Amino acid sequence: MTKAIHPVDQKLPFTRTLIYAAQHVLAMYAGAVAVPLVLAGAIGLSTEQLIYLINADLFTCGIATLVQALSIKDFIGSKLPIVQGCTFTAVTPMIIIANTHGGGAAGLQVVYGSAIFAGIACFVISNYFSKMLRFFPPVVTGSVITIIGLSLLPVAVNWITGPNPQAADYCSPSNIALSLAVLAIILFIYRTCKGFLGHISVLLGLVIGTGIAAAFGMVDFHAVGEAAMLGVTTPFAFGLPVFEPVSCLIMTLVMLVTMAETTGDVMAVSSIVKKPMTEEMLTKALRADGFSTALGGVFNTFPYTAFAQNIGLISMTGIRSRYIVATSGVLLMILGLFPKLAAVVACIPTMVLGGAGLAMFGMVASSGMQALSQADLQKKGNSMVVAISVAVALIPIGVPSFYSHFPQWVQLIGNSGITIGSIMAIVLNVLLCEHKPKTAEQEQKAALNLQ
């Protein structure tokens, strides 16, 4: 009897695979280019250098995604449908490192040296870090996934309102109306269309929303005409890396925080695709982070992690194949090689992305609540684990400057709601909950519930 293929390992027809992959790329594009945009402005790079960074970022995002989804010799990469992107956790430390060492290209040489060192360190310690998996029972898993979803929702809201409160169109009624229209279109397609069309509701919402925005003059296509046809990423384009000890130590601490975030993201994907997570799977996922981060230092980009934005898309569409995500990696590499194509994708207005983001990120939080349904919240301590970990995770979202007077290492951890919330859930679970060893029957039942 032929063994059934898990949905994660299924290969779909090429055309559908390509369309589903494009949906993933559109969902994560704004987040993917945000890190080079912020960094370039903060360390005084030219427009030409910024464009090069974006191309390099997209190209290496694609490589990192392929490694995570397909694996290298079943040693590096989780074989889960996880899109890789630059982590926001590293932005502030990278700006500090670069400006401390002269800014510009000289500062980037130190950033890339520290990224290579930290990536190798992450790769080496991943096997030990993954042993934390035993501290993630359903009450912790559900809390972390819920926190990821709630932490992403403000990103969608900022896409709708605009990042600058002083801008004339900040919280513009027309922007909000367009976002709600996109959300309504996605929900309508998701509810009324079956099969393939229902699965690409987000893609259709983005395309239709961009068409509506263009009709009202809300889309700027000038960047498409100005973009170059070809942009090739070469190793060490800003000079050979500089391995400054303190900077290497700072970036290694950043990677430890990123590994905690990746653990939560991998747990979320594992739960959504119904593929029980193992210590070995987590180790391979973390190795992929380390490998991609070191590779990023070579190809002029930044530390990489699992991109939480795409988790909601998987939950919403129910399409779980890792080969679709791998195809999105190929598309990202193509966008990195052909800037004019990347410029077309960049024309999607942020308020259109915001409407889609509300649905996708809300679905991540919903998945967390489903995971919590497997935990006995009547059991002593469990409810408190959820309550306090979620509350602490929302602090930096509600008041971003909450930890501003604390030491830099505290800010590094505290400013990431996902990281501080995950740590709090683990610690409270150990301190407050009763831990009794499971019988063989209970272990078997738990495994069946995850199937």
Side-chain angles (χ1 to χ4, degrees):
M1 185 175 179
T2 306
K3 186 179 179 181
I5 299 176
H6 193 283
V8 167
D9 299 313
Q10 286 181 344
K11 295 181 180 180
L12 280 67
F14 176 75
T15 302
R16 292 195 175 193
T17 296
L18 194 61
I19 293 174
Y20 290 144
Q23 188 169 230
H24 272 288
V25 171
L26 294 181
M28 60 84 68
Y29 185 87
V33 302
V35 171
L37 282 170
V38 173
L39 184 76
I43 68 174
L45 295 180
S46 66
T47 301
E48 290 75 18
Q49 288 173 321
L50 168 61
I51 293 171
Y52 189 91
L53 280 184
I54 291 175
N55 292 341
D57 178 28
L58 291 172
F59 183 79
T60 314
C61 270
I63 296 175
T65 299
L66 281 167
V67 170
Q68 189 69 272
L70 299 182
S71 183
I72 298 177
K73 295 188 175 181
D74 200 28
F75 185 72
I76 305 173
S78 62
K79 292 186 178 180
L80 288 173
I82 294 175
V83 176
Q84 297 282 101
C86 289
T87 173
F88 284 89
T89 305
V91 172
T92 300
M94 287 193 298
I95 291 172
I96 294 171
I97 290 170
N99 286 334
T100 301
H101 295 88
L108 280 179
Q109 288 176 278
V110 183
V111 169
Y112 293 144
S114 61
I116 293 171
F117 180 90
I120 295 172
C122 171
F123 189 95
V124 171
I125 66 176
S126 59
N127 189 53
Y128 304 99
F129 195 94
S130 62
K131 295 187 183 302
M132 288 179 57
L133 189 59
R134 67 178 184 273
F135 295 111
F136 287 87
V139 66
V140 174
T141 303
S143 298
V144 171
I145 298 172
T146 302
I147 287 168
I148 292 172
L150 295 178
S151 298
L152 287 171
L153 284 171
V155 175
V157 175
N158 285 330
W159 282 343
I160 295 170
T161 62
N164 183 12
Q166 307 304 320
D169 63 347
Y170 184 75
C171 290
S172 164
S174 59
N175 289 355
I176 295 174
L178 178 58
S179 299
L180 294 178
V182 171
L183 178 60
I185 291 168
I186 291 172
L187 293 176
F188 177 78
I189 296 172
Y190 182 79
R191 175 67 180 85
T192 60
C193 297
K194 305 296 183 183
F196 177 65
L197 288 178
H199 291 151
I200 60 169
S201 57
V202 172
L203 176 61
L204 293 175
L206 292 173
V207 171
I208 296 171
T210 302
I212 295 172
F216 285 92
M218 301 169 71
V219 182
D220 183 4
F221 291 105
H222 287 97
V224 178
E226 296 171 359
M229 284 299 298
L230 183 65
V232 180
T233 300
T234 57
F236 308 124
F238 292 89
L240 293 176
V242 175
F243 297 93
E244 195 275 320
V246 175
S247 300
C248 290
L249 183 62
I250 291 172
M251 197 61 74
T252 301
L253 178 59
V254 169
M255 285 308 298
L256 288 173
V257 174
T258 299
M259 289 168 79
E261 290 189 12
T262 296
T263 299
D265 292 335
V266 175
M267 285 166 47
V269 173
S270 173
S271 175
I272 290 168
V273 303
K274 301 288 190 282
K275 191 165 186 177
M277 184 159 158
T278 63
E279 186 178 306
E280 182 184 17
M281 184 188 298
L282 179 57
T283 298
K284 293 175 182 178
L286 295 174
R287 283 179 188 148
D289 272 8
F291 173 83
S292 301
T293 297
L295 186 69
V298 174
F299 281 100
N300 321 293
T301 61
F302 314 106
Y304 283 89
T305 185
F307 235 44
Q309 282 90 326
N310 295 79
I311 297 173
L313 187 58
I314 295 170
S315 178
M316 188 172 178
T317 63
I319 302 298
R320 298 178 263 175
S321 172
R322 61 191 174 99
Y323 294 103
I324 289 171
V325 167
T327 305
S328 73
V330 175
L331 293 180
L332 285 168
M333 292 176 67
I334 293 172
L335 290 177
L337 289 172
F338 298 98
K340 199 172 285 290
L341 291 177
V344 172
V345 177
C347 288
I348 300 174
T350 57
M351 66 287 287
V352 173
L353 288 169
L358 289 176
M360 293 189 300
F361 304 158
M363 283 298 293
V364 178
S366 175
S367 296
M369 296 171 191
Q370 291 178 35
L372 283 173
S373 68
Q374 299 179 17
D376 183 5
L377 295 183
Q378 300 300 317
K379 187 178 178 182
K380 184 177 180 180
N382 279 0
S383 292
M384 192 63 75
V385 170
V386 179
I388 302 302
S389 61
V390 172
V392 170
L394 295 180
I395 289 175
I397 296 173
V399 185
S401 59
F402 187 85
Y403 298 101
S404 60
H405 296 294
F406 286 77
Q408 189 68 38
W409 68 270
V410 176
Q411 294 183 46
L412 187 64
I413 297 172
N415 287 338
S416 169
I418 296 173
T419 300
I420 190 66
S422 300
I423 293 172
M424 188 62 65
I426 294 169
V427 171
L428 290 177
N429 175 64
V430 172
L431 295 177
L432 301 180
C433 299
E434 298 175 357
H435 300 280
K436 297 179 181 179
K438 291 182 179 180
T439 65
E441 183 180 354
Q442 289 173 324
E443 292 282 4
Q444 185 179 15
K445 184 177 179 181
L448 288 173
N449 286 336
L450 289 171
Q451 296 292 326

